[in-house]
Amino acid sequence: MNRLLHILLLSLLFIPAAAAPRYARSINDNWSFHKEGDPVMRTLSFPHTWNAQDCTDDEPGYWRGVGWYERTVPLNDDLSGKRVFVRFEGANQELDLWVNGVHAGNHKGGYTAFIFEIGSLVRSGANQFRIKVDNSHNEGIPPMSADFTFFGGIYRDVSLLFLPENHISVTHYASDGVYISTQEVSAEKASVKVETHLSIERPEKKLFLEQTVLAPDGSVVSTVRQRLNKPSGEMVVTTDATVPNPQLWDVEAPQCYALLTRLLDAKGNEIDAQRNSFGIRTFRFDPEKGFFLNARPLKLIGTNRHQDFKGIGNALPDEMHLRDVRLLKEMGGNFLRIAHYPQDHLVSDECDRLGILSCVEIPVVDRIGYADDFTQNCVNMAREMVYQSYNHPSMIVWAYMNEVMLRNKPWKEDGFSQQEYYRKAKDCASAIDAAIRLADPSRPTMIPCDSSRKRYKESGLWEVPDIIGLNLYYGWYYRTFDHLAPALDEYHALYPGKSLFITEYGADGDSRLHSFEPECHDYTCEYALLFHKKYFPVILEKAYISGATVWNINDFHSEARGFAVPHFNLKGLTTVERIPKDSYWFYTALLGKGPFVRIGGADWKIRGGQASGGVCVQSVEVFTSASGVELSLNGKSLGVKPVANGFAAFDVPFTAGENVLEASASDGAKDFQRVDFRLVPEDLSQFREISVLMGTRRFFEDRAEGQVWIPEQEYRAGSWGYVGGERAMQKNSGGNRPAFEPDIALTDRDPIFQTQRAGIEAFKADVPDGKYIVYLYFADLTGPYRGTPMPYGLGNDAIPGEVTERVFSVRINGTTVLQDFNIAEQYGYHTAVVQRFPVEVEAGTGLSVDFVPSKGLPVLNAIRIIRYE
């Protein structure tokens, strides 16, 4: 008996211990960080970027270089029988990791996840992690340049993964290691193919791979178990399953199945397990008829999306990623172009859940790189992109090479001939495309092209992908709205057999700027809205256009830009803080499910204007899904109007002070809006204050200081306004622009200084006797722009005028307050200057600010007058 017990105890020593389950642990917190060459260390957590602040300051450029992160990571885990990995969701743009002084790995590319195995490098107790991240320009790592900011840092989550020795692989391009595709789909059944990557470190005589398909309600559909004989190393197992009477994933009903994958030992005990979501659907692009989802035609309408937010750059918490997708869904959009790079996996997860189709692309933007490893790095990025997003039913297109023919003769930058650049670009595209098709033959590829039709045709680049994306800006960067429809027909004829998709369209609009006479490049919300009103009917009309995505769901960082809000691209349907503009409400009225109504200018809380008959009449648009809408002001109806194309316009007689607007749509929807209206009285004996922008038709709501700036008017007796001069215009390659576009230093209220009246003789206001403060706003808008110009003509291609010395004096009611004033000499070009003068008006003279030239033309950008007694 004792001998038998002894044998039993010995045998127990050789029974393999049950495999520990996989688990993950975040190591986002408590990192020390410093820039290379800077001894100052600070403590922070991921997500983090070191460019959150310097990309929006007045100093041209932002820091691109090496940053170091260090941390002691305690491991109190039992590491026996485990393999340990560290996973980075995203770090821009090249990362090296050292663990306990040993180099653990390197990754190139700033927008896809990657993983390193570190089990042989870690130990129980304290472990030293040291990370080097470099966002310097690198000709081998795209993007080379672009109209967005390349934030440096570890800006997504970092986790440790603890896995059993034998497990479902996590190292195949940092994916889940399970790839699900639906081969054949009918109403009766769907054939599901699963490719599973396994990592077997401890040899076994046999293992089992079990895969169970779960219906959207969680019930078991089918289970397939396969025996794996003498499994070892890295291996791939293919499984086929059948789903009877499949529930299709659709934009209206995004039904998602689940696949539970279990790796079992010889006795059926679970070693490792993983759950993956997938959807069953069919889709196709037709070059003549557009897009079809589950055999029905569907026009794809939506937006692009950049992953940043004011004040934090691209280091977004999870909730912000989810909110952007929900904003698109609430607008009624059914498509998201994830551009110009792969983004947090939560974005695609939410698209799956909400029923939003999507595409994603690698960040080859503007031009190809000239380093020998550029193409190989692009191919690797493409594989990471595909495998990491493979199972999303919302994902229907893989894209690459955005606008690589846009720059002015990019081949000259490295001494290539035009034909050499064409060949290199096509060879690179062909390599990327081939890698994508090998990884996933079920989805089409797309190249988003700029308007350089001749270059794409001559280079043969158009031949490579299945779909041609069109980034079109007729009526903004070039030509007029009327050119859009014929241009689309020309593209259709030029690229026979290719499906067409409008990947970008839009116009910049500062949510603080408004105009009732909008002009191209005035950066008002009204012109941006007009742009969308002109484009959308054409998009719907052309059956061969499979879809279109607005550029962009949100305003986003672009450090090199000037314009109304420097360092930002303002084409978003929402602001960078995600406050909707009128263009967003326009699409919501047309695409949303309703009932819906929204009074236009919802974020324009402080308005103003000149009284006429005791009121100031301004147009207000109401956006609604209904067929009719009534608008009331302060309880009094302004009438009921029919709705066309999602909106109706009303003339609203605003009075001084609070005005309450109420919209009542015929479908029952209601909206309210409170407006603080700053009315300039006809009878200036009642005058209190006025803020006037010179040389423009724009209104500017200064939210920071709680005031509104109104456009200039010519002086007439008994009122106020300018005398003499002309509206200054910026000359560009495409003609004159209504506003100058440089970044104005020493202010964040750039629109006040970006227009001016040149040659002004006086500004008069027939105000009553009393004490006043007069503020004069100046900026010399001639001279060279600070910083490096953007590499293509995206609206900031100003033609420098002759820089002449500008010297003038200013008198207020006959008293000289500025003598021989030389803005450029005293302050420099494109710099905000505010001069403040207390003035006492007596003897009924009113207020007269006179400008006396000495050299060149006097200028005035804005004026503010306040009565303080």
Side-chain angles (χ1 to χ4, degrees):
M1 184 69 178
N2 289 336
R3 184 173 181 271
L4 289 174
L5 180 60
H6 180 69
I7 293 173
L8 177 61
L9 290 172
L10 286 174
S11 66
L12 288 174
L13 295 176
F14 294 97
I15 296 176
R22 66 164 58 197
Y23 61 96
R25 179 186 306 141
S26 168
I27 53 170
N28 282 344
D29 299 329
N30 201 33
W31 289 85
S32 295
F33 170 77
H34 74 279
K35 295 178 181 178
E36 190 165 83
D38 183 352
V40 178
M41 302 281 289
R42 62 190 185 96
T43 303
L44 51 79
S45 298
F46 303 143
H48 166 255
T49 175
W50 57 66
N51 296 122
Q53 306 301 324
D54 69 346
C55 68
T56 58
D57 60 24
D58 282 338
E59 186 68 25
Y62 56 102
W63 194 76
R64 298 188 66 181
V66 172
W68 290 92
Y69 300 90
E70 299 178 26
R71 181 190 164 179
T72 298
V73 178
L75 289 181
N76 299 318
D77 310 68
D78 178 4
L79 300 180
S80 60
K82 293 190 181 74
R83 293 171 68 178
V84 184
F85 302 81
V86 59
R87 178 182 172 89
F88 294 83
E89 298 293 337
N92 199 31
Q93 64 181 355
E94 183 173 7
L95 181 144
D96 287 273
L97 169 68
W98 287 264
V99 177
N100 293 323
V102 180
H103 189 254
N106 167 271
H107 182 265
K108 293 180 174 68
Y111 302 99
T112 44
F114 53 96
I115 195 166
F116 303 130
E117 185 165 9
I118 59 172
S120 63
L121 306 179
V122 296
R123 55 183 176 254
S124 294
N127 293 266
Q128 298 301 317
F129 279 54
R130 193 163 188 253
I131 304 172
K132 173 187 176 183
V133 181
D134 188 352
N135 74 330
S136 303
H137 178 82
N138 187 324
E139 281 292 324
I141 305 176
M144 299 296 98
S145 65
D147 186 17
F148 61 93
T149 300
F150 305 159
F151 295 98
I154 300 175
Y155 66 94
R156 295 186 194 148
D157 297 318
V158 183
S159 300
L160 294 178
L161 306 182
F162 300 85
L163 277 70
E165 292 171 296
N166 299 336
H167 60 265
I168 302 160
S169 178
V170 294
T171 58
H172 189 250
Y173 295 98
S175 73
D176 289 337
V178 177
Y179 307 113
I180 309 163
S181 58
T182 50
Q183 303 293 299
E184 297 178 7
V185 179
S186 67
E188 292 76 29
K189 67 176 183 178
S191 299
V192 178
K193 179 181 178 180
V194 183
E195 182 181 288
T196 306
H197 290 243
L198 300 175
S199 183
I200 309 299
E201 184 174 79
R202 187 176 68 190
E204 300 281 357
K205 288 184 179 181
K206 66 177 179 180
L207 295 173
F208 292 95
L209 182 67
E210 180 185 274
Q211 292 181 307
T212 300
V213 177
L214 303 175
D217 65 1
S219 61
V220 174
V221 175
S222 67
T223 298
V224 178
R225 178 181 287 194
Q226 296 186 70
R227 175 173 171 160
L228 310 177
N229 292 316
K230 297 182 178 179
S232 64
E234 303 298 316
M235 58 186 298
V236 179
V237 180
T238 301
T239 306
D240 293 305
T242 299
V243 176
N245 306 313
Q247 301 176 59
L248 300 186
W249 186 97
D250 198 280
V251 294
E252 300 298 333
Q255 302 287 353
C256 285
Y257 287 76
L259 179 74
L260 179 60
T261 299
R262 301 171 70 219
L263 185 62
L264 310 175
D265 66 16
K267 294 185 177 182
N269 298 312
E270 182 178 294
I271 300 172
D272 192 22
Q274 181 171 289
R275 183 186 180 102
N276 293 91
S277 177
F278 72 99
I280 300 172
R281 79 283 187 264
T282 65
F283 68 90
R284 66 184 176 90
F285 287 84
D286 187 290
E288 300 299 327
K289 298 179 182 178
F291 177 75
F292 292 79
L293 178 64
N294 299 326
R296 66 179 177 86
L298 177 68
K299 183 75 82 171
L300 299 173
I301 300 294
T303 71
N304 292 259
R305 189 241 182 191
H306 266 294
Q307 59 174 20
D308 58 82
F309 195 88
K310 188 173 182 179
I312 59 175
N314 65 347
L316 271 61
D318 292 347
E319 294 76 11
M320 287 187 175
H321 295 291
L322 298 173
R323 179 177 62 179
D324 286 352
V325 183
R326 292 168 187 162
L327 275 170
L328 175 57
K329 185 66 176 181
E330 291 164 6
M331 188 187 82
N334 60 24
F335 192 87
L336 176 64
R337 179 186 174 211
I338 302 171
H340 289 303
Y341 41 76
Q343 298 177 15
D344 195 291
H345 69 88
L346 291 172
V347 172
S348 292
D349 291 345
E350 195 72 348
C351 286
D352 292 345
R353 191 182 72 83
L354 295 180
I356 296 176
L357 292 158
S358 63
C359 71
V360 65
E361 60 199 58
I362 60 172
V364 184
V365 187
D366 287 0
R367 67 170 177 87
I368 61 171
Y370 301 129
D372 292 339
D373 62 345
F374 177 81
T375 295
Q376 184 54 51
N377 287 335
C378 291
V379 167
N380 190 65
M381 288 180 189
R383 289 174 176 150
E384 290 175 331
M385 172 184 73
V386 172
Y387 287 121
Q388 290 174 23
S389 299
Y390 193 95
N391 295 329
H392 292 292
S394 59
M395 192 66 64
I396 58 173
V397 177
W398 308 117
Y400 56 91
M401 278 196 173
N402 181 80
E403 296 183 345
V404 294
M405 296 293 174
L406 177 61
R407 294 169 67 104
N408 183 27
K409 299 181 180 179
W411 47 86
K412 287 192 172 182
E413 296 184 25
D414 203 51
F416 292 125
S417 69
Q418 181 175 349
Q419 291 305 314
E420 285 176 319
Y421 182 84
Y422 283 174
R423 178 181 58 77
K424 285 179 176 290
K426 187 176 181 183
D427 288 349
C428 183
S430 298
I432 296 169
D433 203 87
I436 291 174
R437 292 178 192 275
L438 184 62
D440 179 17
S442 69
R443 293 177 174 96
T445 58
M446 178 172 71
I447 291 181
C449 305
D450 56 77
S451 59
S452 308
R453 280 171 273 185
K454 182 180 178 182
R455 290 182 178 181
Y456 283 95
K457 194 71 174 180
E458 289 178 348
S459 66
L461 205 55
W462 74 278
E463 301 167 355
V464 180
D466 300 299
I467 302 169
I468 298 294
L470 303 173
N471 297 349
L472 301 178
Y473 294 95
Y474 294 98
W476 185 247
Y477 291 132
Y478 42 77
R479 298 194 174 183
T480 64
F481 299 131
D482 294 338
H483 288 87
L484 174 63
L488 290 175
D489 292 338
E490 291 173 19
Y491 281 114
H492 187 219
L494 187 64
Y495 303 131
K498 297 291 184 181
S499 293
L500 299 182
F501 191 107
I502 299 178
T503 35
E504 294 180 21
Y505 69 103
D508 288 70
D510 180 354
S511 66
R512 304 169 301 171
L513 283 172
H514 299 273
S515 177
F516 300 110
E517 303 174 77
E519 306 168 88
C520 183
H521 282 275
D522 66 4
Y523 295 91
T524 64
C525 288
E526 286 70 25
Y527 187 84
L529 176 61
L530 178 63
F531 187 102
H532 292 288
K533 288 178 179 178
K534 294 290 187 180
Y535 267 61
F536 194 63
V538 178
I539 291 167
L540 295 182
E541 171 195 329
K542 304 292 184 182
Y544 59 80
I545 295 296
S546 54
T549 45
V550 174
W551 187 255
N552 200 277
I553 183 66
N554 54 277
D555 293 346
F556 58 91
H557 292 77
S558 181
E559 193 278 337
R561 281 180 166 249
F563 315 126
V565 183
H567 317 300
F568 289 90
N569 186 308
L570 303 178
K571 294 184 183 66
L573 298 181
T574 70
T575 68
V576 71
E577 299 98 336
R578 304 323 192 252
I579 299 170
K581 305 176 189 177
D582 280 358
S583 300
Y584 178 89
W585 302 127
F586 168 69
Y587 282 107
T588 305
L590 292 172
L591 302 174
K593 294 183 179 299
F596 168 79
V597 67
R598 183 71 79 241
I599 301 169
D603 62 336
W604 190 7
K605 303 298 185 184
I606 306 174
R607 299 189 183 219
Q610 174 63 54
S612 177
V615 299
C616 181
V617 178
Q618 293 182 352
S619 179
V620 173
E621 292 186 336
V622 180
F623 305 99
T624 179
S625 57
S627 59
V629 63
E630 179 182 19
L631 185 66
S632 298
L633 174 66
N634 298 326
K636 181 179 180 180
S637 176
L638 301 178
V640 177
K641 290 197 173 185
V643 174
N645 299 317
F647 70 96
F650 293 83
D651 289 331
V652 177
F654 287 103
T655 56
E658 183 178 79
N659 292 253
V660 180
L661 294 168
E662 178 181 358
S664 301
S666 59
D667 61 6
K670 291 184 179 294
D671 187 37
F672 296 86
Q673 185 180 128
R674 295 182 184 275
V675 175
D676 176 4
F677 202 91
R678 310 290 173 83
L679 190 70
V680 181
E682 293 170 280
D683 179 4
L684 290 188
S685 66
Q686 305 300 312
F687 178 88
R688 297 307 307 171
E689 65 178 273
I690 191 171
S691 302
V692 181
L693 299 178
M694 306 303 297
T696 187
R697 301 167 185 167
R698 306 190 299 185
F699 294 79
F700 174 64
E701 183 186 15
D702 185 349
R703 295 165 182 167
E705 297 196 3
Q707 59 181 300
V708 63
W709 296 76
I710 65 177
E712 66 177 10
Q713 68 177 27
E714 190 169 10
Y715 172 75
R716 65 180 187 276
S719 187
W720 58 270
Y722 66 84
V723 176
E726 61 181 18
R727 185 182 178 196
M729 305 283 277
Q730 176 174 290
K731 292 181 171 59
N732 287 69
S733 58
N736 292 337
R737 298 272 167 82
F740 286 74
E741 296 165 340
D743 175 10
I744 306 298
L746 305 183
T747 185
D748 57 3
R749 299 183 296 160
D750 292 71
I752 295 175
F753 301 91
Q754 288 172 327
T755 61
Q756 63 183 199
R757 177 155 289 273
I760 185 171
E761 298 172 19
F763 186 95
K764 294 180 177 293
D766 293 341
V767 295
D769 292 353
K771 293 182 178 180
Y772 296 82
I773 299 175
V774 176
Y775 301 85
L776 302 180
Y777 296 75
F778 300 101
D780 193 318
L781 300 177
T782 62
Y785 281 15
R786 292 187 305 276
T788 303
M790 296 184 72
Y792 32 67
L794 292 187
N796 65 337
D797 53 339
I799 298 174
E802 182 181 357
V803 179
T804 58
E805 192 173 12
R806 191 193 304 277
V807 182
F808 58 93
S809 299
V810 178
R811 299 172 183 165
I812 299 180
N813 287 359
T815 300
T816 299
V817 294
L818 289 173
Q819 180 69 44
D820 294 331
F821 188 46
N822 188 324
I823 305 170
E825 182 179 89
Q826 297 177 40
Y827 301 96
Y829 298 107
H830 313 137
T831 300
V833 179
V834 183
Q835 297 287 332
R836 177 183 183 274
F837 304 103
V839 177
E840 187 164 353
V841 175
E842 299 175 315
T845 61
L847 190 63
S848 180
V849 182
D850 299 294
F851 299 83
V852 183
S854 297
K855 295 180 182 179
L857 296 176
V859 295
L860 180 64
N861 297 70
I863 184 171
R864 176 166 166 75
I865 304 170
I866 301 174
R867 185 180 182 183
Y868 66 95
E869 71 162 13

